């Protein structure tokens, strides 16, 4: 009997179809699962071998092709350097002797674009993946593999693409002890202690994943910076990572702690106008470039949330940034300077402070400076209007900063696809200088020919086996890369691509998944911060609701500062008669946001303080509407749970079960948000709940008493 059982088990494990084999999520969207037989047969005639040069990036591209073919078709492509035959995939730049005679229109593709073309060489039908530089070939190979992953025909190809932004970087808020600020996916993947001696193979997979979506840089360290990373022994570790990433077209950048000349250099000041300080930085930068010749540059957070900066010496942000920029310029490095500043001493609306400080500096930054601006003026809330700096500094390269990690959108467990949020920010019309000047357009238009452009995403990557803390958070990494490549791209097709690559090609699977993703961020908005509310999260770790919090040292740290609810009404008056934050936008935008009749309802309480009885678009009082939104949010999570249940058996069991359990956590936390928020706001408004909407399960004191001091990711 026992033997029979063993036999049965063996049989089972052999017979298990690949679609239900346990997957962990480690392979991300590069799973290269076996194709259906008809596609194998079809592609097998079209791709037989490949020819390529033997430079590192081309080798990386060829290795990826091999990996893809082995996974999808079950065999390796043979590398034949010279023999040309039908079905060859030819990789190379326009200078390659096989490609040059084709006279391909490569010129307009720039250094990173690519072209994929069906062509005839020596009478043989081949596919050419060509570019001006090797990295373009690598990008083309990933695109080619995606065609196969999504079952597209490979005959008569004529595809070309090029990134619209130059600097496409991840920002890791990773500390040197591997703690990740706002990280919900485990520890930092940089195992500093073992570097440079041991290079975890995971670094290569990280580089592959990034290259596959066009990311070309990574800031390894937290913006709340530690100067130690600039010490020689640490630079050796950084070099090891840079060497691993280089073939994938990824440059490394570091955060520079403004006070490093004092902490490391023993100087008495870090004043950017002090010649000794400038000389110290110049020497440090020269040293870095001796170790890492293609070092990308620095990212600096200065005079914000306790970080040192030029204001400590009564110097401007431009004076601070330019000192670094001058040291980096001879090496071709860039300096990314964050506009995320607000000051304890400044009583003005926090919404206005970055604009007030930076806008007057337009034109005062060196050419190799990018000012890095968060999508909204407060801080990565589930919904914010676009930052008024976009369009307001026409002579300064501005880059976008999005937060991929979900500090304010439910950490790793809540399913929230951020593509829709980012599309909303990118497609916002700044009206500067004129109608149609969307944020996307401004980002992609250099302020003068050749000037830098860019986008940064605060990474959600950690040591968890699935990289991002959840299967669905991988989609946010993916979407960030795609939008950094093309800020005019749309969230839905990106979600569709990701779903197909990540969950398989069955429309019965991808259909519901895309639908879940597309509604998911709005659900979070509804159950956390509906109708333009924001920053109501509990203090410090930002886990869970805390709309009642009012006792923190700085006014703008308190949720009550943001919602301003009282017996009469709710919302932050930022109109001309309030703080006039609307005055920082173009007049057309200000006229819309500032007018109660015209403001989009999604921003109602962001810009206006209204009585509880204020009639919203639905005809209901804002109080009733608020309750309805909270419940709508919870219901949307329940609907996602039902959708997911319907996919049981169609998805490999381990990933399916993980998502099911995370959705259950999200459901519980959505309810918590809804109940705690209603209990609090009701204690202020003293109004009854609209008919059919249940009272919170507990009283307000119960929710106030919930403490979660060990919630992950808190700043230290
Ligand atoms: O979102 C807030 C976070 C801080 C972060 C800061 C910033 C790195 O709560 O943890 O610090 O913004 O963007 O600098």
């Amino acid at each position: 009997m026992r033997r029979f059982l063993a036999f049965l088990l063996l049989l089972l494990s052999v017979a298990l179809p690949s679609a239900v084999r346990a997957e962990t999520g480690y392979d991300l969207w590069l799973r290269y699962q076996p194709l259906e037989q008809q596609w194998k047969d079809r592609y097998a005639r079209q791709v037989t071998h490949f020819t390529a040069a033997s430079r590192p990036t081309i080798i990386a591209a060829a290795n990826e092709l091999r990996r893809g073919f082995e996974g999808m078709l079950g065999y390796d492509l043979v590398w034949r350097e010279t023999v040309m035959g039908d079905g060859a995939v030819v990789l190379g730049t326009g200078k390659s002797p096989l490609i040059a005679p084709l006279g391909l229109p490569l010129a307009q593709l720039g250094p990173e674009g690519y072209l994929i073309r069906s062509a005839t060489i020596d009478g043989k039908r081949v596919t050419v993946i060509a570019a001006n530089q090797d990295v373009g070939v690598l990008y083309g190979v990933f695109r080619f593999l995606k065609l196969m992953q999504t079952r597209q025909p490979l005959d008569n190809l004529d595809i070309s693409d090029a990134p619209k932004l130059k600097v496409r970087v991840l920002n890791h808020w990773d500390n040197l002890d591997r703690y990740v600020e706002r990280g919900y996916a485990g520890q930092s993947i940089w195992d500093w202690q073992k570097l440079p001696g041991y290079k975890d193979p995971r670094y290569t997979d990280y580089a592959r994943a990034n290259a596959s979506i066009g990311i070309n840089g990574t800031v390894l360290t937290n913006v709340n910076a530690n100067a130690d990373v600039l010490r020689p022994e640490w630079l050796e570790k950084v070099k090891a990572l840079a060497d691993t990433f280089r073939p994938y077209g990824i440059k490394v950048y570091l955060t520079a702690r403004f006070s490093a000349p004092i902490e490391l250099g023993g100087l008495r000041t870090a004043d950017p106008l002090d010649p000794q300080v400038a000389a110290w930085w110049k020497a440090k930068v020269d040293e870095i470039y001796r170790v890492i010749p293609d070092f990308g540059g620095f990212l600096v957070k200065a005079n914000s949330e306790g970080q040192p900066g030029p204001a400590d010496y009564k110097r401007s942000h431009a004076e601070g940034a330019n000192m670094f920029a001058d040291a980096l310029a001879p090496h071709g490095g860039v300096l990314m300077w964050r506009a995320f500043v607000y000051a304890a001493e400044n009583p003005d609306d926090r919404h206005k402070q970055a604009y007030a400080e930076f806008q007057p500096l337009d034109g005062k930054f060196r050419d190799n400076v990018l000012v890095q601006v968060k999508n909204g003026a407060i801080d990565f809330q589930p919904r914010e209007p676009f930052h008024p700096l976009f369009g307001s500094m026409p002579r300064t390269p501005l880059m976008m900063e999005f937060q991929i990690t979900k500090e304010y959108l439910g950490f790793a467990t809540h399913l929230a696809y951020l593509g829709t949020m980012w599309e909303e920010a990118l497609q916002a019309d700044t009206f500067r200088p004129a109608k149609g000047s969307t944020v996307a357009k401004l980002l992609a238009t250099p302020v003068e020919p050749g000037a830098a452009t860019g986008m940064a995403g605060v990474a959600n990557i950690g040591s968890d086996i699935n990289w991002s803390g959840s299967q669905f958070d991988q989609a946010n990494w993916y979407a960030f890369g795609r939008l950094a490549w093309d800020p005019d791209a749309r969230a839905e097709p990106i979600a569709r691509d990701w779903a197909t690559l990540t969950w398989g090609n069955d429309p019965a699977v991808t259909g519901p998944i895309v639908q879940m993703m597309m509604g998911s961020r709005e659900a979070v908005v509804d159950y956390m911060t509906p109708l333009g509310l924001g920053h109501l999260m509990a203090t410090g770790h930002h886990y869970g609701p805390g709309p009642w919090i009012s006792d923190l040292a700085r006014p703008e740290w308190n949720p009550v500062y943001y919602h301003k609810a009282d017996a009469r009404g709710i919302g932050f008056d930022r109109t001309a008669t309030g703080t006039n934050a609307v005055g920082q936008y173009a007049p057309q935008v200000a006229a819309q946001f500032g007018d109660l009749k015209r403001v989009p309802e999604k921003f109602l309480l962001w810009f206006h303080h209204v009585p509880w009885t204020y009639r919203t678009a639905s005809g209901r009082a804002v109080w009733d509407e608020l309750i309805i939104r909270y419940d709508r949010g919870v219901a949307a999570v329940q609907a996602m749970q039902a959708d997911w249940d319907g996919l049981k058996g169609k998805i490999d069991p381990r990933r399916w079960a993980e998502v099911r359990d995370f959705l259950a956590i999200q459901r519980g936390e959505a309810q918590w948000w809804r109940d705690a928020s209603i209990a609090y706001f009701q204690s202020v408004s003293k109004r009854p709940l609209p008919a059919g909407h249940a009272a919170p399960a507990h009283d307000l004191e119960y929710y106030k008493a919930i403490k979660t001091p060990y919630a992950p990711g808190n700043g230290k």
Side-chain angles (χ1 to χ4, degrees), residues 173 181-182 223-224 301 305 338 340 374 379 407:
W173 287 356
E181 183 160 348
R182 310 309 173 185
V223 289
N224 289 330
K301 170 177 177 177
E305 301 183 330
R338 297 178 86 225
F340 178 69
K374 290 187 182 183
D379 193 13
E407 173 181 0

Side-chain angles (χ1 to χ4, degrees), residues 74-108:
Y75 60 80
D76 278 352
L77 273 199
V78 185
W79 181 326
R80 286 195 220 144
E81 198 129 350
T82 47
V83 191
M84 185 59 54
D86 277 322
V89 181
V90 182
L91 310 184
T93 65
K95 292 201 201 90
S96 133
L98 281 173
I99 295 174
L102 299 174
L104 298 173
L106 295 173
Q108 74 265 27

